[in-house]
Amino acid sequence: MSTLLEVKNLKKYFPVPSGTLHAVDDVTFTLDQGETLGIVGESGCGKSTLGKTILRLTNPTSGEVIYNGRNIAAISDKEFVALRPELQMIFQDPMSSLNPRMSVKEQIEEPLLIYKRYPDRAEREKKVLELMDTVGLARRYADMYPHELDGGRRQRIGIARGLSLEPKLIVCDEPVSALDVLIQAQILNLLMDLQQEKGLTYMFITHDLSVVKHISNNICVMYLGQIVEKCETSRLFSHTLHPYTKALLSAIPVPSLSKKRERIILKGELTSPINPKNCCRFAPRCIYATDECFGTAPELKDVGNGHMVACHRVAELNDLSEV
């Protein structure tokens, strides 16, 4: 499988009155063509900013974003415009990402008009209806407006817009978090079917590990702008190593009356992402933290079989022979 996206030491800082906010701090990973990489973490950990920085909706502070062998973080805006159709995003809130004054048909048609695809009006309208069919949106909704539809149908409009320019990489920024459970399953299955049919590559951002387990090949766990654990999805759930990831997993409800999972309650203060010290950012909430954790930032290291963990005590707290 060829590598479509390679992110190297990516950083995104924001100046604030009290210093510099490290939203994304030295993030590195690869994503193979046709696969899905899950990005998981609490709200405010920087996962959405990571997705927007990769797609240059906000410019990176430093680092490389290598797409198809080309560092798109270093090219000019004019050069990037030509690549934009290949790199699309599905946003978290479908209502706020759609224009309330445009009909469903006009919403889907807009990217085709901007990039001058299908100059003939009849061909363009045919393409719009085909896209509606592809995402399971009935043609009778073509002349309706976003406020007349439910959340699931609005999100299908967003997916149709994302597919309209035939992209290769789609960043899905919590595309099901605003939907109820039944509609979540429908949208996830739709995304997976589209991936298989069109060979799409996804970067799937979410705070819900049960959702990301369903759709992802690999998972990166983020904490305050940094990746603390990454590996294959099955390995993450069977051999969880980082204390923060273990706490996240313990919060997943178990659909059984006979089985119970021990809940790990995190205590302590969150480390400020503004001018952070050179230490483990999870240390103030970690019951296993030592002086080393408060004095030195751990490196993200491979502990075996491509399982990467950033923790000083990973070998001491886990049996790495099982990894």
Side-chain angles (χ1 to χ4, degrees), residues 6-298:
E6 186 175 4
V7 176
K8 294 182 178 180
N9 307 113
L10 188 65
K11 298 179 181 181
K12 179 59 185 179
Y13 298 164
F14 294 97
V16 295
S18 55
T20 303
L21 190 152
H22 293 217
V24 176
D25 207 353
D26 204 24
V27 167
T28 298
F29 63 81
T30 59
L31 175 55
D32 289 340
Q33 190 168 356
E35 293 195 344
T36 299
L37 174 69
I39 306 292
V40 186
E42 295 172 298
S43 296
C45 74
K47 54 190 187 293
S48 293
T49 303
L50 174 62
K52 292 174 183 176
T53 305
I54 288 171
L55 296 188
R56 282 195 40 179
L57 296 179
T58 180
N59 289 321
T61 301
S62 65
E64 297 178 79
V65 179
I66 301 171
Y67 169 75
N68 255 346
R70 189 179 184 187
N71 184 12
I72 60 175
I75 62 177
S76 67
D77 290 342
K78 185 177 181 180
E79 290 176 294
F80 187 73
V81 167
L83 279 174
R84 171 59 70 193
E86 298 182 21
L87 305 163
Q88 295 294 314
M89 190 166 194
I90 299 171
F91 294 92
Q92 177 177 358
D93 183 1
M95 192 60 185
S96 64
S97 64
L98 298 175
N99 189 329
R101 294 182 175 87
M102 295 174 69
S103 67
V104 171
K105 179 175 65 179
E106 292 169 334
Q107 307 267 5
I108 300 172
E109 185 183 34
E110 186 179 28
L112 302 175
L113 288 170
I114 292 172
Y115 278 90
K116 300 179 181 179
R117 304 284 177 91
Y118 305 96
D120 181 76
R121 183 175 180 180
E123 287 186 11
R124 195 166 59 246
E125 290 185 353
K126 180 183 177 183
K127 178 64 176 178
V128 169
L129 293 176
E130 288 176 355
L131 285 165
M132 291 180 67
D133 293 341
T134 299
V135 301
L137 194 59
R139 294 188 177 191
R140 67 178 182 272
Y141 298 119
D143 294 316
M144 297 180 75
Y145 291 83
H147 71 274
E148 299 177 281
L149 304 174
D150 60 28
R153 292 189 176 91
R154 291 174 195 153
Q155 196 59 284
R156 290 177 192 270
I157 299 171
I159 295 171
R161 279 172 59 94
L163 293 174
S164 62
L165 298 175
E166 299 178 356
K168 295 181 180 178
L169 172 66
I170 300 180
V171 174
C172 306
D173 185 10
E174 303 212 38
V176 298
S177 65
L179 309 175
D180 62 47
V181 176
L182 179 61
I183 305 301
Q184 279 187 12
Q186 292 176 3
I187 296 299
L188 287 173
N189 289 332
L190 171 62
L191 290 171
M192 293 171 72
D193 290 342
L194 289 171
Q195 183 177 44
Q196 188 171 11
E197 178 187 339
K198 299 178 180 295
L200 297 170
T201 304
Y202 294 142
M203 178 176 156
F204 196 93
I205 297 168
T206 182
H207 62 272
D208 190 338
L209 273 166
S210 59
V211 168
V212 84
K213 180 181 181 181
H214 183 64
I215 195 172
S216 300
N217 302 98
N218 299 282
I219 296 178
C220 291
V221 181
M222 285 189 71
Y223 186 79
L224 289 181
Q226 297 180 324
I227 292 177
V228 296
E229 187 166 5
K230 64 177 180 178
C231 61
E232 293 180 359
T233 299
S234 58
R235 187 178 298 278
L236 185 84
F237 283 84
S238 61
H239 296 97
T240 314
L241 299 180
H242 197 281
Y244 174 63
T245 310
K246 291 180 180 181
L248 288 180
L249 284 175
S250 76
I252 300 176
V254 178
S256 172
L257 293 175
S258 59
K259 294 182 180 179
K260 290 186 178 181
R261 180 183 283 123
E262 184 181 351
R263 182 76 168 89
I264 300 173
I265 307 296
L266 295 178
K267 299 179 180 179
E269 292 293 326
L270 279 167
T271 301
S272 174
I274 300 172
N275 301 331
K277 297 178 181 179
N278 181 34
C279 65
C280 174
R281 297 181 186 179
F282 184 62
R285 304 174 73 189
C286 181
I287 60 173
Y288 308 110
T290 63
D291 291 342
E292 183 183 16
C293 302
F294 286 97
T296 309

